[in-house]
């Protein structure tokens, strides 16, 4: 099977109901050292990733769980990191399979753990600044989130001049497959605890900081988007701008390495990652879309998805 055919197969699978229809960050790698998160609502083991109690998405921009995820609990460990450290976030579906969504942005924020260490820090009033945002691949047809769905990590570079100290890293996927309806966006935030070393001096200006909830509104263009299935996609990221001292933009969630081995914590569920061609852009052909549109479909396929397929074929 060709890579593009595989991509299209995944698109069709995205239309079907999945047990693993939601998910979480199962593993984080910092400069090649691997840390495992806890299964949601399981007995926790020491980790740097704050444990959530439910793989379901956070719904609504005013939801208090928009901060670090569903009822996120303090993690007991804080990992050392450096300026320009390379991080990888490995997302899993709720049943341990690959991440199930492929439409919407990936964004990463940081907040300093003020007055205490991050394993004791209550992030309710944390001031978050954005260090990266990743949306569409060249051509504005395929989201980089597609690479996470295939089984690859989201890659993030820490700012090279960020002042040392203890920080939370809030890594977030927003799934937009229901974003044509107000309140339909699905938020998946996850918080990781790190200690940045060095003697750098950059801090985010107050004008670039937001709280969660508070940083988004349900009617923001990048959260409520009636044209989300129109192609080419025109997308506006929600939230603040990326801080000026962030690392140069790079294509995150690209297939740069295989799933790393364990060094810390409990192993995450096994992955069936496959595919090739980092950031490869595959366009759904008219014939493929027409087949998907007119084939017998389960009742669970929404009118939104059918409209998207129609937009690809020009069908009435």
């Amino acid at each position: 099977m060709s890579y593009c055919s595989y991509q299209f197969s995944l698109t069709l699978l995205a239309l079907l109901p999945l047990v693993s229809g939601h998910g979480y960050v199962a593993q984080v790698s910092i400069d090649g050292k691997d840390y495992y998160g806890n299964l949601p609502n399981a007995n926790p083991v020491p980790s740097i990733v704050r444990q959530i109690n439910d793989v379901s998405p956070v719904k609504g921009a005013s939801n208090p769980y928009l901060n670090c995820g569903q009822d996120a609990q303090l993690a007991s460990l804080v990992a050392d990191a450096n300026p320009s450290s390379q991080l990888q976030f490995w997302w899993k579906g709720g049943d341990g399979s690959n991440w199930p969504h492929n439409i919407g942005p990936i964004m990463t924020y940081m907040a300093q753990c003020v007055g205490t260490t991050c394993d004791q820090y209550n992030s309710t009033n944390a001031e978050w600044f954005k260090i990266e945002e990743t949306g569409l691949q060249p051509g504005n047809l395929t989201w980089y989130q597609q690479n996470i769905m295939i089984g690859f990590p989201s890659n993030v570079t820490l700012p090279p001049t960020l002042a040392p100290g203890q920080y939370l890293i809030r890594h977030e996927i927003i799934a937009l497959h229901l974003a044509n309806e107000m309140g339909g966006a699905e938020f998946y935030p996850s918080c990781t605890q790190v200690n940045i070393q060095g003697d750098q001096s950059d801090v985010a200006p107050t004008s670039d900081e937001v709280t969660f909830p508070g940083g988004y509104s349900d009617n923001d263009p990048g959260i409520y988007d009636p044209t989300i299935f129109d192609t080419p996609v025109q997308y506006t990221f929600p939230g603040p701008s990326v801080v000026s001292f962030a690392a140069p933009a790079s294509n995150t969630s690209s297939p740069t390495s295989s799933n790393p081995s364990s060094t810390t914590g409990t192993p995450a569920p096994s992955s069936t990652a496959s595919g090739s061609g980092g950031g490869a852009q595959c366009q759904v052909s008219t014939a493929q879309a027409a087949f998907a549109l007119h084939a017998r479909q389960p009742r669970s396929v929404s009118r939104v998805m059918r409209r998207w397929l129609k937009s690809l074929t020009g069908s009435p």
Side-chain angles (χ1 to χ4, degrees), residues 3 85-89 91 104-108 131-138 142-149 152-158 171-173 237 242 247-257 277-280:
Y3 179 66
S85 278
Q86 303 295 306
L87 275 64
Q88 293 181 314
F89 295 86
W91 290 82
I106 308 159
M107 295 181 288
T108 307
I131 64 168
E132 71 86 28
E133 54 189 18
T134 305
L136 292 150
Q137 298 184 34
T142 305
W143 297 84
Y144 278 105
Q145 192 183 149
Q146 172 74 49
N147 292 337
I148 296 178
M149 188 184 194
F152 294 103
S154 177
N155 302 313
V156 176
T157 301
L158 295 185
H171 188 63
E172 174 184 44
I173 290 177
F237 289 94
V242 174
S250 61
N251 293 339
T252 67
S253 68
S254 60
T256 58
S257 66

Side-chain angles (χ1 to χ4, degrees), residues 30 79 96 110 113 127 130 140 153 186 195 208-209 220 269-270:
I30 303 177
M110 297 183 72
C113 297
E127 296 287 341
K130 187 185 289 183
N140 293 345
E186 297 184 353
N195 179 44
D208 285 345
E209 294 179 323
D220 284 348
S270 62

Side-chain angles (χ1 to χ4, degrees), residues 23-208:
Y24 66 105
V25 170
Q27 182 178 340
V28 178
S29 174
I30 303 177
D31 293 330
K33 185 174 182 179
D34 310 317
Y35 302 85
Y36 290 96
N38 284 281
L39 290 170
N41 207 33
N43 291 328
V45 298
S47 176
I48 65 171
V49 183
R50 295 193 170 186
Q51 183 186 25
I52 58 175
N53 72 348
D54 193 332
V55 298
S56 298
V58 176
K59 299 286 285 188
S62 62
N63 192 318
Y65 291 155
L66 195 63
N67 194 279
C68 280
Q70 296 281 20
D71 196 26
Q73 302 297 306
L74 298 175
S76 61
L77 302 179
V78 179
D80 286 337
N82 295 296
S84 298
S85 278
Q86 303 295 306
L87 275 64
Q88 293 181 314
F89 295 86
W90 299 82
W91 290 82
K92 289 289 184 183
D95 63 356
S97 62
N98 283 0
W99 174 253
H101 302 303
N102 62 353
I103 299 172
I106 308 159
M107 295 181 288
T108 307
Y109 296 81
M110 297 183 72
Q112 191 158 20
C113 297
V114 179
T116 186
T117 54
C118 282
D119 58 328
Q120 301 294 322
Y121 180 64
N122 182 342
S123 61
T124 301
N125 297 314
E127 296 287 341
W128 301 94
F129 55 95
K130 187 185 289 183
I131 64 168
E132 71 86 28
E133 54 189 18
T134 305
L136 292 150
Q137 298 184 34
N140 293 345
L141 293 171
T142 305
W143 297 84
Y144 278 105
Q145 192 183 149
Q146 172 74 49
N147 292 337
I148 296 178
M149 188 184 194
I150 294 172
F152 294 103
S154 177
N155 302 313
V156 176
T157 301
L158 295 185
T161 58
L162 177 64
Q166 297 216 353
Y167 291 85
L168 287 178
I169 300 175
R170 181 182 179 275
H171 188 63
E172 174 184 44
I173 290 177
I174 305 181
L176 296 179
H177 54 285
L178 300 176
N180 67 309
E181 300 174 0
M182 185 71 71
E186 297 184 353
F187 302 95
Y188 295 90
S190 175
C191 288
T192 297
Q193 302 171 173
V194 298
N195 179 44
I196 308 296
Q197 304 182 79
D199 58 1
Q200 314 76 237
S201 59
D202 273 336
V203 295
T206 302
S207 59
D208 285 345

